[in-house]
Each structure stands twice: as structure tokens, then as C-alpha cells.
Short mmCIF file of all heavy atoms in Angstrom, two decimals:
data_model
loop_
_atom_site.label_atom_id
_atom_site.label_comp_id
_atom_site.label_asym_id
_atom_site.label_seq_id
_atom_site.Cartn_x
_atom_site.Cartn_y
_atom_site.Cartn_z
N THR M 1 -9.48 -6.40 -19.25
CA THR M 1 -10.55 -6.46 -20.24
C THR M 1 -11.08 -7.88 -20.45
O THR M 1 -12.02 -8.08 -21.22
CB THR M 1 -10.05 -5.93 -21.60
OG1 THR M 1 -8.85 -6.65 -21.96
CG2 THR M 1 -9.73 -4.44 -21.52
N ASN M 2 -10.51 -8.87 -19.79
CA ASN M 2 -10.88 -10.27 -20.00
C ASN M 2 -11.89 -10.73 -18.93
O ASN M 2 -11.51 -11.28 -17.89
CB ASN M 2 -9.64 -11.16 -20.00
CG ASN M 2 -9.93 -12.58 -20.43
OD1 ASN M 2 -11.07 -13.03 -20.37
ND2 ASN M 2 -8.91 -13.28 -20.86
N GLY M 3 -13.15 -10.50 -19.20
CA GLY M 3 -14.22 -10.87 -18.27
C GLY M 3 -14.35 -12.37 -18.06
O GLY M 3 -14.71 -12.82 -16.97
N ARG M 4 -14.08 -13.17 -19.10
CA ARG M 4 -14.17 -14.63 -18.95
C ARG M 4 -13.16 -15.14 -17.91
O ARG M 4 -13.48 -15.99 -17.10
CB ARG M 4 -13.91 -15.32 -20.29
CG ARG M 4 -15.07 -15.26 -21.25
CD ARG M 4 -14.72 -16.08 -22.50
NE ARG M 4 -15.75 -16.02 -23.48
CZ ARG M 4 -16.81 -16.81 -23.52
NH1 ARG M 4 -16.98 -17.72 -22.60
NH2 ARG M 4 -17.71 -16.69 -24.48
N SER M 5 -11.94 -14.60 -17.98
CA SER M 5 -10.93 -15.00 -17.00
C SER M 5 -11.32 -14.56 -15.60
O SER M 5 -11.09 -15.29 -14.63
CB SER M 5 -9.56 -14.43 -17.36
OG SER M 5 -9.02 -15.11 -18.47
N ALA M 6 -11.90 -13.37 -15.47
CA ALA M 6 -12.35 -12.89 -14.15
C ALA M 6 -13.37 -13.87 -13.57
O ALA M 6 -13.27 -14.26 -12.40
CB ALA M 6 -12.94 -11.50 -14.26
N ALA M 7 -14.34 -14.27 -14.36
CA ALA M 7 -15.38 -15.18 -13.90
C ALA M 7 -14.79 -16.54 -13.53
O ALA M 7 -15.16 -17.14 -12.51
CB ALA M 7 -16.47 -15.34 -14.96
N LEU M 8 -13.86 -17.04 -14.33
CA LEU M 8 -13.22 -18.33 -14.06
C LEU M 8 -12.45 -18.28 -12.74
O LEU M 8 -12.61 -19.16 -11.88
CB LEU M 8 -12.27 -18.70 -15.20
CG LEU M 8 -11.34 -19.89 -14.99
CD1 LEU M 8 -12.13 -21.16 -14.75
CD2 LEU M 8 -10.41 -20.04 -16.17
N LEU M 9 -11.63 -17.26 -12.55
CA LEU M 9 -10.84 -17.16 -11.32
C LEU M 9 -11.73 -16.99 -10.10
O LEU M 9 -11.46 -17.58 -9.04
CB LEU M 9 -9.81 -16.04 -11.45
CG LEU M 9 -8.72 -16.30 -12.50
CD1 LEU M 9 -7.90 -15.05 -12.76
CD2 LEU M 9 -7.84 -17.48 -12.09
N ASP M 10 -12.80 -16.22 -10.24
CA ASP M 10 -13.76 -16.07 -9.13
C ASP M 10 -14.40 -17.42 -8.78
O ASP M 10 -14.52 -17.77 -7.60
CB ASP M 10 -14.86 -15.07 -9.49
CG ASP M 10 -14.38 -13.63 -9.51
OD1 ASP M 10 -13.29 -13.34 -8.97
OD2 ASP M 10 -15.09 -12.79 -10.08
N ARG M 11 -14.82 -18.19 -9.80
CA ARG M 11 -15.43 -19.51 -9.57
C ARG M 11 -14.50 -20.44 -8.80
O ARG M 11 -14.94 -21.25 -7.99
CB ARG M 11 -15.81 -20.17 -10.89
CG ARG M 11 -17.19 -19.92 -11.37
CD ARG M 11 -17.60 -20.82 -12.51
NE ARG M 11 -16.70 -20.85 -13.65
CZ ARG M 11 -16.68 -19.94 -14.63
NH1 ARG M 11 -17.51 -18.91 -14.60
NH2 ARG M 11 -15.86 -20.05 -15.63
N LEU M 12 -13.21 -20.33 -9.09
CA LEU M 12 -12.25 -21.22 -8.46
C LEU M 12 -11.81 -20.75 -7.07
O LEU M 12 -11.06 -21.44 -6.39
CB LEU M 12 -11.02 -21.39 -9.36
CG LEU M 12 -11.30 -22.13 -10.68
CD1 LEU M 12 -10.06 -22.14 -11.54
CD2 LEU M 12 -11.80 -23.54 -10.42
N GLY M 13 -12.26 -19.57 -6.65
CA GLY M 13 -11.93 -19.08 -5.32
C GLY M 13 -10.72 -18.17 -5.24
O GLY M 13 -10.30 -17.80 -4.15
N PHE M 14 -10.14 -17.82 -6.39
CA PHE M 14 -9.03 -16.88 -6.38
C PHE M 14 -9.54 -15.52 -5.92
O PHE M 14 -10.69 -15.15 -6.18
CB PHE M 14 -8.42 -16.74 -7.78
CG PHE M 14 -7.47 -17.84 -8.15
CD1 PHE M 14 -7.95 -19.07 -8.58
CD2 PHE M 14 -6.10 -17.65 -8.08
CE1 PHE M 14 -7.08 -20.09 -8.94
CE2 PHE M 14 -5.21 -18.66 -8.43
CZ PHE M 14 -5.70 -19.89 -8.86
N VAL M 15 -8.68 -14.78 -5.25
CA VAL M 15 -9.03 -13.46 -4.72
C VAL M 15 -8.25 -12.40 -5.49
O VAL M 15 -7.02 -12.52 -5.63
CB VAL M 15 -8.68 -13.37 -3.22
CG1 VAL M 15 -8.92 -11.97 -2.68
CG2 VAL M 15 -9.47 -14.41 -2.43
N ALA M 16 -8.96 -11.39 -6.01
CA ALA M 16 -8.28 -10.27 -6.67
C ALA M 16 -7.50 -9.51 -5.61
O ALA M 16 -8.06 -9.07 -4.61
CB ALA M 16 -9.30 -9.36 -7.36
N GLU M 17 -6.19 -9.38 -5.83
CA GLU M 17 -5.32 -8.77 -4.82
C GLU M 17 -4.72 -7.45 -5.24
O GLU M 17 -4.15 -6.74 -4.42
CB GLU M 17 -4.19 -9.74 -4.46
CG GLU M 17 -4.69 -11.03 -3.86
CD GLU M 17 -3.59 -12.01 -3.52
OE1 GLU M 17 -2.53 -12.00 -4.21
OE2 GLU M 17 -3.77 -12.79 -2.58
N GLY M 18 -4.81 -7.14 -6.50
CA GLY M 18 -4.21 -5.88 -6.93
C GLY M 18 -4.34 -5.66 -8.43
O GLY M 18 -4.84 -6.51 -9.16
N ARG M 19 -3.88 -4.51 -8.84
CA ARG M 19 -3.99 -4.11 -10.24
C ARG M 19 -2.71 -3.39 -10.64
O ARG M 19 -2.26 -2.50 -9.94
CB ARG M 19 -5.19 -3.18 -10.38
CG ARG M 19 -5.55 -2.81 -11.78
CD ARG M 19 -6.80 -1.90 -11.73
NE ARG M 19 -7.49 -1.94 -12.99
CZ ARG M 19 -8.55 -2.67 -13.27
NH1 ARG M 19 -9.08 -3.44 -12.35
NH2 ARG M 19 -9.10 -2.64 -14.45
N ARG M 20 -2.15 -3.80 -11.75
CA ARG M 20 -0.98 -3.13 -12.31
C ARG M 20 -1.45 -2.30 -13.50
O ARG M 20 -1.80 -2.84 -14.55
CB ARG M 20 0.07 -4.15 -12.74
CG ARG M 20 0.65 -4.89 -11.56
CD ARG M 20 1.72 -5.83 -12.02
NE ARG M 20 2.25 -6.55 -10.87
CZ ARG M 20 3.41 -7.17 -10.87
NH1 ARG M 20 4.16 -7.17 -11.95
NH2 ARG M 20 3.82 -7.81 -9.81
N ARG M 21 -1.47 -1.02 -13.29
CA ARG M 21 -2.03 -0.11 -14.30
C ARG M 21 -1.13 -0.04 -15.53
O ARG M 21 0.08 0.03 -15.44
CB ARG M 21 -2.18 1.29 -13.70
CG ARG M 21 -3.17 1.30 -12.53
CD ARG M 21 -3.22 2.62 -11.82
NE ARG M 21 -1.91 2.92 -11.24
CZ ARG M 21 -1.33 4.12 -11.31
NH1 ARG M 21 -1.91 5.13 -11.88
NH2 ARG M 21 -0.15 4.30 -10.77
N GLY M 22 -1.78 -0.07 -16.71
CA GLY M 22 -1.08 0.05 -17.98
C GLY M 22 0.01 -0.98 -18.19
O GLY M 22 0.99 -0.74 -18.87
N TYR M 23 -0.17 -2.17 -17.66
CA TYR M 23 0.85 -3.21 -17.64
C TYR M 23 1.12 -3.82 -19.02
O TYR M 23 2.23 -4.18 -19.33
CB TYR M 23 0.42 -4.29 -16.65
CG TYR M 23 1.51 -5.26 -16.26
CD1 TYR M 23 2.51 -4.88 -15.37
CD2 TYR M 23 1.53 -6.56 -16.75
CE1 TYR M 23 3.50 -5.76 -14.99
CE2 TYR M 23 2.51 -7.44 -16.38
CZ TYR M 23 3.50 -7.04 -15.49
OH TYR M 23 4.48 -7.92 -15.11
N TYR M 24 0.08 -3.99 -19.81
CA TYR M 24 0.20 -4.60 -21.13
C TYR M 24 -0.15 -3.60 -22.22
O TYR M 24 -0.87 -2.64 -21.98
CB TYR M 24 -0.76 -5.80 -21.28
CG TYR M 24 -0.51 -6.93 -20.32
CD1 TYR M 24 -1.47 -7.31 -19.39
CD2 TYR M 24 0.67 -7.65 -20.35
CE1 TYR M 24 -1.27 -8.37 -18.53
CE2 TYR M 24 0.89 -8.72 -19.49
CZ TYR M 24 -0.08 -9.07 -18.59
OH TYR M 24 0.13 -10.11 -17.74
N PHE M 25 0.34 -3.90 -23.42
CA PHE M 25 -0.06 -3.15 -24.61
C PHE M 25 -0.72 -4.16 -25.54
O PHE M 25 -0.06 -5.03 -26.10
CB PHE M 25 1.15 -2.49 -25.27
CG PHE M 25 0.76 -1.54 -26.37
CD1 PHE M 25 0.22 -0.30 -26.08
CD2 PHE M 25 0.94 -1.89 -27.70
CE1 PHE M 25 -0.14 0.59 -27.07
CE2 PHE M 25 0.58 -1.02 -28.70
CZ PHE M 25 0.05 0.22 -28.39
N VAL M 26 -2.04 -4.11 -25.63
CA VAL M 26 -2.81 -5.11 -26.38
C VAL M 26 -3.80 -4.39 -27.28
O VAL M 26 -4.52 -3.49 -26.83
CB VAL M 26 -3.57 -6.05 -25.42
CG1 VAL M 26 -4.40 -7.06 -26.19
CG2 VAL M 26 -2.61 -6.76 -24.49
N GLY M 27 -3.85 -4.78 -28.54
CA GLY M 27 -4.83 -4.21 -29.46
C GLY M 27 -4.68 -2.71 -29.61
O GLY M 27 -5.67 -2.01 -29.81
N GLY M 28 -3.46 -2.21 -29.50
CA GLY M 28 -3.20 -0.80 -29.71
C GLY M 28 -3.46 0.09 -28.50
O GLY M 28 -3.45 1.32 -28.61
N GLU M 29 -3.69 -0.53 -27.32
CA GLU M 29 -3.93 0.29 -26.13
C GLU M 29 -3.32 -0.34 -24.88
O GLU M 29 -3.09 -1.54 -24.83
CB GLU M 29 -5.43 0.51 -25.91
CG GLU M 29 -6.20 -0.75 -25.61
CD GLU M 29 -7.70 -0.51 -25.46
OE1 GLU M 29 -8.19 0.53 -25.89
OE2 GLU M 29 -8.36 -1.39 -24.92
N ARG M 30 -3.08 0.48 -23.90
CA ARG M 30 -2.58 0.03 -22.60
C ARG M 30 -3.73 -0.62 -21.83
O ARG M 30 -4.83 -0.09 -21.79
CB ARG M 30 -2.04 1.21 -21.79
CG ARG M 30 -0.74 1.69 -22.30
CD ARG M 30 0.38 0.94 -21.59
NE ARG M 30 1.61 1.08 -22.36
CZ ARG M 30 2.51 0.13 -22.44
NH1 ARG M 30 2.35 -1.02 -21.84
NH2 ARG M 30 3.60 0.31 -23.14
N VAL M 31 -3.44 -1.78 -21.25
CA VAL M 31 -4.44 -2.53 -20.50
C VAL M 31 -3.85 -2.92 -19.15
O VAL M 31 -2.70 -3.37 -19.07
CB VAL M 31 -4.88 -3.81 -21.27
CG1 VAL M 31 -5.88 -4.62 -20.47
CG2 VAL M 31 -5.44 -3.45 -22.63
N ASP M 32 -4.64 -2.76 -18.10
CA ASP M 32 -4.20 -3.14 -16.76
C ASP M 32 -4.13 -4.66 -16.63
O ASP M 32 -4.84 -5.40 -17.32
CB ASP M 32 -5.18 -2.63 -15.70
CG ASP M 32 -5.24 -1.11 -15.62
OD1 ASP M 32 -4.44 -0.43 -16.28
OD2 ASP M 32 -6.11 -0.62 -14.88
N ARG M 33 -3.30 -5.10 -15.70
CA ARG M 33 -3.24 -6.51 -15.30
C ARG M 33 -3.85 -6.61 -13.90
O ARG M 33 -3.46 -5.86 -13.00
CB ARG M 33 -1.79 -7.01 -15.26
CG ARG M 33 -1.65 -8.44 -14.72
CD ARG M 33 -0.17 -8.84 -14.66
NE ARG M 33 0.03 -10.03 -13.85
CZ ARG M 33 0.16 -11.26 -14.33
NH1 ARG M 33 0.10 -11.48 -15.62
NH2 ARG M 33 0.36 -12.28 -13.52
N VAL M 34 -4.78 -7.54 -13.72
CA VAL M 34 -5.38 -7.77 -12.42
C VAL M 34 -4.71 -9.02 -11.84
O VAL M 34 -4.65 -10.06 -12.50
CB VAL M 34 -6.91 -7.96 -12.50
CG1 VAL M 34 -7.50 -8.17 -11.11
CG2 VAL M 34 -7.56 -6.76 -13.19
N GLU M 35 -4.18 -8.87 -10.62
CA GLU M 35 -3.45 -9.95 -9.94
C GLU M 35 -4.39 -10.70 -9.00
O GLU M 35 -5.17 -10.08 -8.28
CB GLU M 35 -2.30 -9.36 -9.12
CG GLU M 35 -1.30 -8.56 -9.93
CD GLU M 35 -0.34 -9.41 -10.72
OE1 GLU M 35 -0.30 -10.65 -10.51
OE2 GLU M 35 0.37 -8.85 -11.57
N TYR M 36 -4.27 -12.01 -9.00
CA TYR M 36 -5.09 -12.87 -8.14
C TYR M 36 -4.19 -13.81 -7.34
O TYR M 36 -3.08 -14.13 -7.77
CB TYR M 36 -6.02 -13.75 -8.99
CG TYR M 36 -7.17 -13.03 -9.62
CD1 TYR M 36 -7.00 -12.29 -10.77
CD2 TYR M 36 -8.44 -13.10 -9.05
CE1 TYR M 36 -8.07 -11.62 -11.36
CE2 TYR M 36 -9.52 -12.44 -9.63
CZ TYR M 36 -9.32 -11.71 -10.78
OH TYR M 36 -10.38 -11.05 -11.35
N GLY M 37 -4.71 -14.26 -6.20
CA GLY M 37 -4.00 -15.24 -5.40
C GLY M 37 -4.97 -16.22 -4.78
O GLY M 37 -6.15 -15.93 -4.57
N LEU M 38 -4.47 -17.42 -4.52
CA LEU M 38 -5.24 -18.46 -3.85
C LEU M 38 -4.29 -19.21 -2.94
O LEU M 38 -3.24 -19.70 -3.39
CB LEU M 38 -5.87 -19.42 -4.87
CG LEU M 38 -6.67 -20.60 -4.32
CD1 LEU M 38 -7.91 -20.12 -3.57
CD2 LEU M 38 -7.05 -21.55 -5.45
#
């Protein structure tokens, strides 16, 4: 859900490599974690 972080990591050249579904519990709901690598 963090679009600012997505834009930052993209600007720096990080590559989205995967997604961990329901990884966090934030604000009363399950949220995926997007994994990046450089």
C-alpha cells in the first residue's frame, strides 16, 4: 500500500522480485510485502 516507497525504489533501480501475501497486519488489515533487490 506504500506507493511512495514503490516510486523511490524504482527511481533507485531496485527491481520488484516478489510478493509475500498477507505478510503484515497494518491498520486493521492484512497487507502484502513487496520484495525488491538491487
Side-chain angles (χ1 to χ4, degrees):
T1 54
N2 189 339
R4 284 185 183 274
S5 287
L8 170 61
L9 293 169
D10 288 344
R11 268 192 307 278
L12 294 175
F14 280 79
V15 175
E17 298 179 330
R19 187 178 203 99
R20 294 183 181 198
R21 297 173 298 136
Y23 194 76
Y24 298 118
F25 189 74
V26 178
E29 65 183 17
R30 286 269 162 215
V31 178
D32 295 353
R33 174 183 166 98
V34 181
E35 301 283 349
Y36 287 80
L38 178 65

